[in-house]
Amino acid sequence: MKSLEIRKKFLDFFNKNGHTIVASSSLIPAQDPTLLFINAGMNQFKDLFLGNEKRNYVRATTIQKCIRAGGKHNDLDQVGFTKRHLTFFEMMGNFSFGDYFKEDAIRFAWDFLTKEMELPQDKLYPTVFREDDEAFNIWNKVIGVPASKIGRLDEKDNFWQMGDTGPCGPCTEIYYDRGPQEGCGSKDCKPGCSCDRFLEIWNLVFMQYDRQSSGELVPLKQTGVDTGMGLERLCVIKQGKDSVFEIDLFQDIIMQIEQLTGLKYSEQNAAKKAAFHVLSDHVRSSCFALADGCTPANEGRGYVLRKIIRRAALFEQKLTNSSIFPKLAGALIESMQDIYPELATSKEYITSVLSHEIDKFATNLVRGQAILEKYFSEN
Ligand code: SER
């Protein structure tokens, strides 16, 4: 199933179930100093969860552009080396603001996965927060998942918060079992294990608290639901692929790297494949960040963007001696501009910033190398 069809089925399903379809917000948080980049679908609804704002809907659904490369949720160093981590991804979510809570949230997710996506039930494994018996019982008694398949995990996996402060709560996650051949082989391998066997696809957060800077959890005026499912991960399953880098959303960029380097992705060793992954992920995050108005800088979110571009420049050297990264922007923009027209509007700006950054970095590298060599010869 193509990503386009998955997008449509997701929004249609929740719309049919009373959710207003809301557009993705910009990646740059509007008025939130606690965030570098939008890192989850719920960010644009923070004030609704906190009860500081009312809108003419109590249920919403979105496909949100997210970047996790700095701040509390930061996957930058892992990208390239796992089959599932990305700095830029699209998060599909449904939200309830003082409306439905745990039971409906779980039922919606289960129905979407098993009926709309037709995923086999026996491959789905839920986890709940350690002491959340209510969620455990919904999975077990209402949905009918055997108790032996429901895990209980700690804060690290099953308590979600957007930052050091703000709305948060226990969550239940749904994992997809990709089979023992993907696993680490440990007899303790189960959902939550860091290997590639159990792929976390959906996180359903039961918003209940507002975390204060002191760490205190103040109950929210009303409970809410915030769910997030990575579009790319669902594509991996529905397209029968091994990693996010093989799904349709990455195809054009990988092909472009192949053309520019003369190297065939499928024939490369792990180190070179990692370079393909880094380039194809980083071109997505940098183009989307630039299109939303972020510029490279020496601090804050601009510094995160600069780090992403420089990381791409370093990995580029594993594949070629020429500067191909800015050229990849064209393939990305072409393949995603129908969904995100802001990419096409900023095309020239994006390409020129990327070229300038890479050139500047190359000059710095040459200068740095000379200093290092001088130091070594003198010492
Ligand atoms: N906010 C939660 C997450 O990002 C669910 O959307 O995982």
Side-chain angles (χ1 to χ4, degrees):
M1 190 181 284
K2 292 257 186 277
S3 52
L4 206 57
E5 198 180 335
I6 298 179
R7 290 177 197 277
K8 185 167 166 9
K9 278 187 185 282
F10 185 84
L11 294 177
D12 285 353
F13 174 81
F14 282 102
N15 191 231
K16 201 172 63 194
N17 283 293
H19 295 67
T20 298
I21 299 176
V22 179
S24 168
S25 74
S26 160
L27 281 163
I28 314 291
Q31 283 169 332
D32 192 339
T34 68
L35 275 182
L36 284 170
F37 285 106
I38 292 298
N39 63 18
M42 58 74 63
N43 294 165
Q44 66 166 316
F45 303 119
K46 182 177 174 183
D47 280 339
L48 281 150
F49 285 119
L50 292 174
N52 297 337
E53 190 193 337
K54 286 257 176 283
R55 294 194 193 162
N56 60 357
Y57 51 78
V58 289
R59 296 178 179 202
T61 182
T62 61
I63 301 180
Q64 174 67 48
K65 299 179 279 188
C66 297
I67 288 186
R68 290 191 175 175
K72 186 166 182 62
H73 298 277
N74 182 357
D75 292 332
L76 183 60
D77 291 336
Q78 305 194 62
V79 170
F81 303 100
T82 75
K83 296 179 178 182
R84 61 187 192 280
H85 286 100
L86 296 168
T87 58
F88 172 87
F89 63 98
E90 294 174 84
M91 187 183 273
M92 304 191 287
N94 57 290
F95 307 91
S96 152
F97 312 110
D99 189 35
Y100 63 85
F101 201 41
K102 296 185 183 181
E103 183 164 333
D104 284 331
I106 290 176
R107 208 198 300 264
F108 281 143
W110 186 255
D111 284 352
F112 181 75
L113 291 178
T114 58
K115 296 187 183 142
E116 299 289 321
M117 290 292 108
E118 298 178 336
L119 298 188
Q121 297 190 7
D122 62 314
K123 291 204 181 296
L124 298 174
Y125 286 72
T127 61
V128 299
F129 182 52
R130 207 177 41 226
E131 59 237 36
D132 191 351
D133 294 332
E134 190 187 349
F136 188 98
N137 287 332
I138 296 169
W139 279 116
N140 183 223
K141 304 215 158 65
V142 181
I143 306 292
V145 176
S148 59
K149 283 186 66 183
I150 310 170
R152 287 184 188 261
L153 296 177
D154 292 333
E155 278 81 357
K156 182 174 95 46
D157 292 287
N158 277 172
F159 192 97
W160 198 87
Q161 52 193 74
M162 64 175 269
D164 292 331
T165 58
C168 57
C171 54
T172 179
E173 291 180 313
I174 305 171
Y175 288 76
Y176 184 85
D177 182 5
R178 308 179 69 209
Q181 75 288 350
E182 292 291 334
C184 54
S186 157
K187 62 176 181 7
D188 294 328
C189 182
K190 57 179 195 269
C193 179
S194 61
C195 76
D196 282 315
R197 173 167 180 181
F198 293 97
L199 182 65
E200 180 208 325
I201 49 175
W202 208 338
N203 185 15
L204 321 179
V205 184
F206 308 123
M207 287 295 185
Q208 272 166 272
Y209 307 106
D210 179 11
R211 170 90 66 187
Q212 309 295 299
S213 46
S214 63
E216 190 194 351
L217 289 173
V218 176
L220 292 171
K221 291 179 205 138
Q222 56 179 28
T223 57
V225 168
D226 147 35
T227 88
M229 170 160 58
L231 168 65
E232 296 80 359
R233 292 188 181 187
L234 190 55
C235 285
V236 167
I237 297 166
K238 287 301 295 172
Q239 296 174 11
K241 300 294 184 191
D242 187 40
S243 86
V244 285
F245 304 101
E246 293 172 21
I247 64 172
D248 59 357
L249 289 166
F250 280 81
Q251 234 161 35
D252 292 350
I253 312 172
I254 297 280
M255 263 167 51
Q256 180 82 353
I257 303 176
E258 289 183 331
Q259 277 164 13
L260 292 167
T261 59
L263 301 171
K264 194 125 189 65
Y265 172 72
S266 58
E267 292 166 4
Q268 303 310 307
N269 61 22
K272 288 219 160 82
K273 272 195 174 157
F276 268 83
H277 301 160
V278 168
L279 290 178
S280 57
D281 167 81
H282 289 15
V283 75
R284 286 166 32 108
S285 42
S286 29
C287 287
F288 274 99
L290 286 164
D292 277 350
C294 183
T295 45
N298 282 336
E299 56 180 21
R301 71 176 62 93
Y303 183 59
V304 175
L305 174 58
R306 179 161 279 164
K307 267 198 335 203
I308 294 174
I309 299 172
R310 290 182 170 184
R311 191 166 182 262
L314 287 174
F315 277 86
E316 177 181 77
Q317 294 176 355
K318 296 188 193 300
L319 301 178
T320 171
N321 288 328
S322 51
S323 166
I324 62 165
F325 188 63
K327 299 194 182 116
L328 302 179
L332 179 266
I333 294 170
E334 191 71 30
S335 65
M336 299 213 47
Q337 63 188 6
D338 288 349
I339 300 167
Y340 297 107
E342 65 271 27
L343 288 170
T345 323
S346 312
K347 187 172 176 181
E348 277 170 31
Y349 168 72
I350 292 173
T351 319
S352 79
V353 174
L354 291 181
S355 305
H356 177 73
E357 275 295 302
I358 300 260
D359 288 350
K360 208 163 79 180
F361 185 49
T363 318
N364 283 349
L365 276 184
V366 172
R367 196 169 341 123
Q369 245 158 8
I371 294 171
L372 207 58
E373 272 159 26
K374 184 162 175 280
Y375 175 83
F376 284 141
S377 66
E378 287 170 4
N379 294 276

